[in-house]
């Protein structure tokens, strides 16, 4: 048996900064409301006038950095796991585009569709492939282009102000020492709440021609919908459960956590979890202030920044936790 270990991390965010005040161009909102409820100050939105970025392109850019930092080349990678809710195309997924963009050999590529939990699900998939000995180096990418699909109006403001674009990537490599690396991952779902945070159409449940035919100005089925307070209430419970499950599995106490990287859904959720687990400001990494909620990209971007800033050291117990649409949630316990 082997373990998997993160050997390289990378991130990419579009250049275009959109501040809370900038959003007033499209909707009735305020910097005060957004900061008070979410902690967000600004986010990155692809500017199609000045940039060719797409979900796959951003993912490939982050991946390139992660591969270099792992001391590897694209030819060392055995498999791609690509997590997103906003693929360039309805099908195929983004993984195959990364294979093409990075000019990789014809290695396998799988897409993970678990929204905010996408990176943890992807990490878990990669970890299993490595633990069984099938692959040696697996690329895990989380990337999102939200800005193209958000409703830029007062009607959509409760969702639109929250989400941002960006990508993060990690290289997972075989580790012979099974006391380090990814110690365990924990995945959960509860599909009965699928509609509470969802985008209905276009899909096989609501094809494009049905949407066009209705031509209903009130139809918002092709914009993301979120029952904010309902999601919030479930998030705080499930985040905690997933962290406790991970700690218990590894005989760790909350005092053993050196760094918690929560999915960046809302600064208030992170602060609630921080308080609940009695963690100091240096034990929880947040960057939602600068990027908003980047869904599958949020954990790998935060992990990359925490590592770049020297906040994660060898031997640290690093905890990743996420909750989101599905509902899906999960955690990963890593001995760095
Ligand atoms: O990443 C996946 C998981 N996601 C989450 O965990 C998100 C969980 N939910 C949340 O973070 C919060 O519910 C939100 C930040 C989305 C919303 O905050 P809230 O405190 O739940 O606000 P609300 O939706 O209940 O809206 C309160 C008021 C409403 O006005 P009235 O009806 O009280 O007059 C909204 O119309 O705030 C209004 N509002 C806004 N006002 C200014 C909603 N969005 C905005 C806005 N600017 N952008």
């Amino acid at each position: 048996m082997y373990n998997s270990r993160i050997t390289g991390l990378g991130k990419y965010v579009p250049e275009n900064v959109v501040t809370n005040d900038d959003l007033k161009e499209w909707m009735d909102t305020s910097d005060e409301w957004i900061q008070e409820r979410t902690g967000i100050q600004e986010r990155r939105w692809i500017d199609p006038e000045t940039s060719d970025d797409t979900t796959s392109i951003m993912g490939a850019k982050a991946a390139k950095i992660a591969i270099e930092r792992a001391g590897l080349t694209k030819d060392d990678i055995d498999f791609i796991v690509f997590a997103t809710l906003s693929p360039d195309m309805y099908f195929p997924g983004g993984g195959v585009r990364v294979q093409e963009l990075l000019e990789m050999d014809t290695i396998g590529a799988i897409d993970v569709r678990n929204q905010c939990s996408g990176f943890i699900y992807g990490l878990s998939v990669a970890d299993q492939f490595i633990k069984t000995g099938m692959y040696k180096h697996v690329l895990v990418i989380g990337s999102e282009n939200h800005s193209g699909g958000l409703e830029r109006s007062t009607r959509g403001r409760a969702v639109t102000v929250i989400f941002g674009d960006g990508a993060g990537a990690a290289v997972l490599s075989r580790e012979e020492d099974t006391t380090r690396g990814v110690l365990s991952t924990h995945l959960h779902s509860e599909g009965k709440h699928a509609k509470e945070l969802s985008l209905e159409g276009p899909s096989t449940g609501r094809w494009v021609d049905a949407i066009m035919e209705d031509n209903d100005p009130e139809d918002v089925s092709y914009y993301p919908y979120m029952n904010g307070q309902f999601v919030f209430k479930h998030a705080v419970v499930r985040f905690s459960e997933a962290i406790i499950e991970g700690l218990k599995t590894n005989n760790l106490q909350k005092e053993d956590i050196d760094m918690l990287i929560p999915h960046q859904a809302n600064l208030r959720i992170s602060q609630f979890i921080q308080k609940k687990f009695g963690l100091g400001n240096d034990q929880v990494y947040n960057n939602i202030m600068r990027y908003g909620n980047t869904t599958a990209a949020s954990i790998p971007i935060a992990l990359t920044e925490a590592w770049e800033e020297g906040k994660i050291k060898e031997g640290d117990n690093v905890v990743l936790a996420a909750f989101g649409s599905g509902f899906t949630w999960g955690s990963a316990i890593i001995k760095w």
Side-chain angles (χ1 to χ4, degrees):
M1 274 293 273
Y2 305 104
N3 257 14
S4 73
R5 186 166 65 86
I6 293 178
T7 50
L9 285 163
K11 72 152 212 274
Y12 173 83
V13 290
E15 264 175 42
N16 183 40
V17 177
V18 177
T19 66
N20 292 342
D21 282 332
D22 291 338
L23 293 170
K24 289 198 248 174
E25 184 188 325
W26 299 289
M27 62 197 78
D28 178 14
T29 190
S30 67
D31 179 50
E32 195 193 358
W33 190 97
I34 299 171
Q35 286 216 45
E36 199 183 296
R37 309 272 174 144
T38 70
I40 300 165
Q41 294 167 11
E42 59 187 42
R43 74 285 294 135
R44 304 296 179 99
W45 279 1
I46 296 166
D47 178 359
E49 308 255 313
T50 57
S51 162
D52 294 331
D53 280 337
T54 67
T55 301
S56 305
I57 290 174
M58 292 191 295
K61 287 178 179 173
K64 201 162 181 277
I65 298 167
I67 294 168
E68 275 164 21
R69 285 179 173 169
L72 301 171
T73 73
K74 62 177 174 70
D75 299 323
D76 296 312
I77 303 297
D78 300 310
F79 194 69
I80 302 163
V81 183
F82 194 94
T84 190
L85 65 69
S86 50
D88 296 357
M89 291 185 266
Y90 188 89
F91 73 85
V96 296
R97 282 281 285 142
V98 171
Q99 181 274 333
E100 182 207 356
L101 288 162
L102 295 186
E103 298 176 341
M104 297 166 114
D105 200 359
T106 55
I107 57 171
I110 192 173
D111 273 56
V112 165
R113 295 202 46 189
N114 291 83
Q115 298 68 249
C116 301
S117 317
F119 185 77
I120 290 183
Y121 268 75
L123 189 84
S124 185
V125 169
D127 181 47
Q128 311 314 314
F129 274 129
I130 289 174
K131 281 201 165 98
T132 57
M134 183 156 170
Y135 295 131
K136 205 167 170 191
H137 302 291
V138 180
L139 186 57
V140 185
I141 302 168
S143 183
E144 303 287 0
N145 168 5
H146 282 299
S147 60
L150 295 168
E151 188 179 18
R152 297 188 193 195
S153 73
T154 298
R155 187 174 64 176
R157 66 184 178 178
V159 170
T160 303
V161 302
I162 295 169
F163 292 99
D165 303 338
V171 175
L172 254 73
S173 302
R174 182 183 291 175
E175 169 60 54
E176 312 255 336
D177 178 356
T178 52
T179 64
R180 66 184 296 207
V182 178
L183 301 181
S184 64
T185 52
H186 308 271
L187 310 176
H188 294 278
S189 71
E190 193 173 26
K192 73 177 178 191
H193 299 310
K195 289 207 166 166
E196 306 298 343
L197 177 44
S198 59
L199 192 154
E200 201 188 330
S203 65
T204 55
R206 190 144 171 71
W207 287 109
V208 177
D209 51 1
I211 294 169
M212 306 286 277
E213 208 174 294
D214 287 357
N215 195 19
D216 175 3
E218 295 303 313
D219 182 6
V220 288
S221 67
Y222 43 86
Y223 290 120
Y225 166 78
M226 175 160 71
N227 184 350
Q229 292 192 7
F230 186 82
V231 175
F232 194 105
K233 281 180 199 149
H234 283 256
V236 289
V237 174
R238 297 310 194 183
F239 260 106
S240 306
E241 283 178 5
I243 296 167
I244 291 167
E245 185 183 7
L247 292 175
K248 265 195 186 156
T249 303
N250 296 287
N251 292 319
L252 296 170
Q253 310 299 318
K254 56 184 191 321
E255 294 73 25
D256 297 320
I257 299 175
D258 294 301
M259 177 56 77
L260 168 66
I261 315 261
H263 160 56
Q264 303 291 293
N266 184 322
L267 191 60
R268 307 294 159 246
I269 296 176
S270 294
Q271 287 168 337
F272 178 91
I273 303 297
Q274 176 175 346
K275 204 166 160 208
K276 179 158 182 186
F277 286 86
L279 301 171
N281 289 338
D282 56 344
Q283 289 168 290
V284 183
Y285 193 85
N286 288 304
N287 60 10
I288 192 170
M289 306 72 93
R290 284 176 281 130
Y291 303 126
N293 179 344
T294 57
T295 312
S298 96
I299 290 182
I301 293 175
L303 192 56
T304 301
E305 293 197 338
W307 175 81
E308 284 170 348
E309 291 167 25
K311 292 185 170 151
I312 301 176
K313 297 172 296 299
E314 202 166 314
D316 277 357
N317 292 315
V318 177
V319 177
L320 313 180
F323 173 87
S325 161
F327 293 154
T328 60
W329 63 97
S331 65
I333 311 290
I334 302 170
K335 180 66 124 185
W336 207 264

